[in-house]
Amino acid sequence: MLRAVHKRFAFAVALAAGLACSSEKSTGPAPEPVPTPVTGVTLSRDTATIVPGAAVQLTATATGSSGQTLARTITWSSSDTTKAKVGTDGTVTGVGIGNATITATSETVSARATITILDGGLITSSGATIRAANGLVTLVAPANAVTANTSVVVQPASNPPSAQGLISGTTFTLNPTTVTFAQPVTLTLKYDPSALGEVLRSSLALYVLNNGTWQLLPGSSVDSANSAVSALITKLGTFAIIGTVPPPTVATITLDITSLNLYSGLTRQITATLKDANGNVLTDRAVSWSSNNATIASVTSSGAITSAGFGSATISASSEGKTATVSVSVKHDPILFVHGFASSGQIWGTMIGWLVADGWTSSDLTNWSYDTTISNETVAQQIKTKVDSIATATGAPKVDIITHSMGGLSSRYYARNLGGSDRIDAWVSLGGPNHGTTTANFCGPASCLEMRPGSEFLTALNAGDETPGTPRYATWWTPCDQVTTPPESVILAGATNTETACLGHSDLYQNATVYAQVRDWIK
């Protein structure tokens, strides 16, 4: 019994002790653990470049102070949704050209990425229409032109090669230039009509730059109403609108000279310069040359003027309705006067006066005196010197020689034996003893001996052709001549021989009728 009481007491004590201990340690439910704070946000990339319609995926990771990855909610935002928008999963889609900042935020911590949206667009396997460069470039791709999404960037071309007829503001590069289409794509470029200048609108076409050279795209079409040109392309690259610039018209034509004086038989090259309205020299135009009197001066198709007869002519050069002229005056040949035996150069005064009155230049008329007793061969040498001197002074290719009496013999010797036939145009003998004169039997100088009929000098002079070479030979003889006897001695085979009225020997160089006939002959 006592043992039972003892057991109950011990249990009561233990119970009381347990209750007392329990009331000291238990005040309610245990608190939740505090989460680790976010101290950093890391983006998969901090920059990206896309085109409108194209997308780029961004991912963000929240981290703790020890760099550990934390499973936290990420919120996304765009600084400019007109440029780029972002989805709740970090997908960024291009909207408009420019830049936008995409922000990823977890708790109070953020990270940012800069997105650049370039001009252009996206082509999918379903096709697409891309309008770029403020509507100047349109690219229409049909379905299946590409097998995967393809971003096309449109930019003004950088330093493209120039070309005549290239329309400013129409040169664009479509990147990436490595893209080739499975189906032809329509490219349309627009132009500013005011930029055409002289380019023919109907000639506009699209060109592609190939190895530094512009090449025509076949099948280009022009939409004049919308100022646009279209063509099919199979590859991206650099393109432009190029047209045909018609050659500028001739606005002026000028000649290097406006007047020209020439002796008969000379040639002078004339140069014509053609310019357009801006003063630019045109070298690829045909010039038509003509003469209003080819018997005085003719002209070749290249502008070489050759004088022929004496007088005036007008040479014209024309191109595309513009004309310039040069006045040509063909001068008379210089004349050398050779007097006869026992005479002097003064006898020619009357004839020289008449010639000057009829248009000859006095400086082209040379009368001189020589020793009439010496051999005609020696005088012929003097004549050669005179002719060479005249040619040098005047530039004339040939001279006329007018002789009286014995002067015809020395000048004929010059023509026959000293090269004179190439330097004489017209040769005139007035009463010359071409076959000798019996009056020479009464004088003794060397020249007289040579004038005697049948002399060795005359026999050699008249052997064969009496009028050799190219000169025009003419004689005038009077039936009343008492110095050259017989008078018919004057006549030469091959010459134009004119019998005058009954004149004296000395009348031949001062008779008006004979002068007029001589004047017309040498002309």
Side-chain angles (χ1 to χ4, degrees):
M1 173 96 179
L2 181 61
R3 182 178 296 175
V5 172
H6 182 264
K7 287 182 179 179
R8 287 195 295 271
F9 176 79
F11 175 79
V13 171
L15 180 61
L19 293 172
C21 181
S22 174
S23 70
E24 291 178 359
K25 293 182 179 180
S26 180
T27 60
E32 293 292 329
V34 177
T36 301
V38 174
T39 60
V41 174
T42 302
L43 289 175
S44 56
R45 58 196 302 172
D46 55 10
T47 62
T49 300
I50 56 177
V51 295
V56 60
Q57 180 66 57
L58 299 182
T59 60
T61 303
T63 58
S65 60
S66 299
Q68 71 274 31
T69 300
L70 302 177
R72 297 290 191 270
T73 300
I74 304 294
T75 59
W76 297 87
S77 65
S78 170
S79 65
D80 188 345
T81 56
T82 65
K83 301 297 187 293
K85 62 183 180 179
V86 59
T88 58
D89 62 348
T91 300
V92 180
T93 304
V95 177
I97 302 168
N99 296 293
T101 300
I102 303 300
T103 303
T105 303
S106 181
E107 297 179 359
T108 60
V109 181
S110 299
R112 294 171 179 81
T114 300
I115 306 300
T116 300
I117 304 91
L118 298 179
D119 198 3
L122 180 70
I123 300 176
T124 69
S125 59
S126 299
T129 295
I130 297 174
R131 291 183 176 86
N134 294 319
L136 296 178
V137 178
T138 301
L139 196 67
V140 179
N144 302 317
V146 295
T147 57
N149 289 354
T150 301
S151 293
V152 177
V153 177
V154 178
Q155 296 173 311
S158 177
N159 298 320
S162 61
Q164 187 180 36
L166 191 152
I167 309 304
S168 62
T170 68
T171 308
F172 294 93
T173 298
L174 280 60
N175 282 306
T177 57
T178 54
V179 170
T180 299
F181 299 109
Q183 301 291 335
V185 171
T186 301
L187 172 65
T188 301
L189 300 182
K190 298 193 73 175
Y191 59 88
D192 180 357
S194 66
L196 293 182
E198 296 180 346
V199 176
L200 298 175
R201 188 187 302 266
S202 61
S203 70
L204 298 177
L206 287 190
Y207 283 71
V208 61
L209 190 61
N210 187 7
N211 295 323
T213 301
W214 290 110
Q215 293 184 348
L216 174 67
L217 286 171
S220 292
S221 61
V222 180
D223 180 359
S224 297
N226 294 301
S227 302
V229 183
S230 302
L232 294 176
I233 64 173
T234 57
K235 185 177 180 181
L236 296 183
T238 298
F239 304 90
I241 299 176
I242 300 177
T244 300
V245 179
T249 58
V250 175
T252 62
I253 178 171
T254 57
L255 303 179
D256 56 342
I257 59 172
T258 57
S259 61
L260 177 63
N261 293 321
L262 285 178
Y263 289 104
S264 179
L266 288 181
T267 297
R268 168 70 182 271
Q269 178 66 49
I270 303 299
T271 301
T273 300
L274 282 62
K275 293 183 179 180
D276 63 17
N278 295 320
N280 299 311
V281 176
L282 305 175
T283 58
D284 57 347
R285 306 306 165 84
V287 177
S288 175
W289 296 87
S290 63
S291 171
N292 72 336
N293 192 341
T295 62
I296 301 299
S298 61
V299 63
T300 67
S301 59
S302 62
I305 299 174
T306 299
S307 55
F310 303 111
S312 298
T314 298
I315 302 299
S316 299
S318 301
S319 182
E320 298 180 10
K322 304 299 180 181
T323 301
T325 61
V326 55
S327 298
V328 180
S329 177
V330 181
K331 300 172 64 177
H332 301 287
D333 291 333
I335 301 175
L336 176 64
F337 297 90
V338 185
H339 62 77
F341 182 76
S343 185
S344 72
Q346 294 180 355
I347 68 168
W348 301 107
T350 299
M351 183 172 285
I352 288 175
W354 285 337
L355 286 169
V356 171
D358 284 336
W360 271 258
T361 303
S362 59
S363 60
D364 287 337
L365 306 176
T366 302
N367 62 323
W368 62 297
S369 300
Y370 63 93
D371 183 355
T372 62
T373 64
I374 62 177
S375 169
N376 284 287
E377 293 184 17
T378 303
V379 177
Q381 290 288 349
Q382 297 177 18
I383 292 175
K384 181 181 185 307
T385 300
K386 281 289 182 183
V387 171
D388 291 344
S389 176
I390 292 171
T392 300
T394 64
K398 293 190 176 185
V399 301
D400 296 334
I401 295 181
I402 299 178
T403 70
H404 180 248
S405 194
M406 188 184 70
L409 302 184
S410 55
S411 57
R412 285 181 62 206
Y413 188 93
Y414 163 65
R416 183 183 184 94
N417 301 304
L418 302 180
S421 63
D422 294 330
R423 304 300 296 272
I424 300 172
D425 177 27
W427 176 89
V428 172
S429 172
L430 302 177
N434 294 309
H435 296 93
T437 174
T438 59
T439 58
N441 295 328
F442 303 101
C443 60
S447 58
C448 284
L449 298 177
E450 292 171 346
M451 286 191 291
R452 293 175 180 176
S455 69
E456 182 179 345
F457 173 82
L458 288 176
T459 299
L461 186 63
N462 293 319
D465 188 358
E466 293 187 344
T467 53
T470 60
R472 295 177 292 122
Y473 294 88
T475 72
W476 276 260
W477 62 281
T478 168
C480 300
D481 199 327
Q482 295 181 344
V483 175
T484 297
T485 55
E488 293 80 6
S489 175
V490 178
I491 297 172
L492 285 173
T496 297
N497 302 289
T498 301
E499 179 181 357
T500 72
C502 182
L503 301 175
H505 186 69
S506 298
D507 292 333
L508 290 170
Y509 54 75
Q510 54 191 355
N511 177 267
T513 300
V514 173
Y515 161 74
Q517 294 171 347
V518 171
R519 176 200 61 198
D520 294 343
W521 172 258
I522 62 176
K523 290 173 61 175

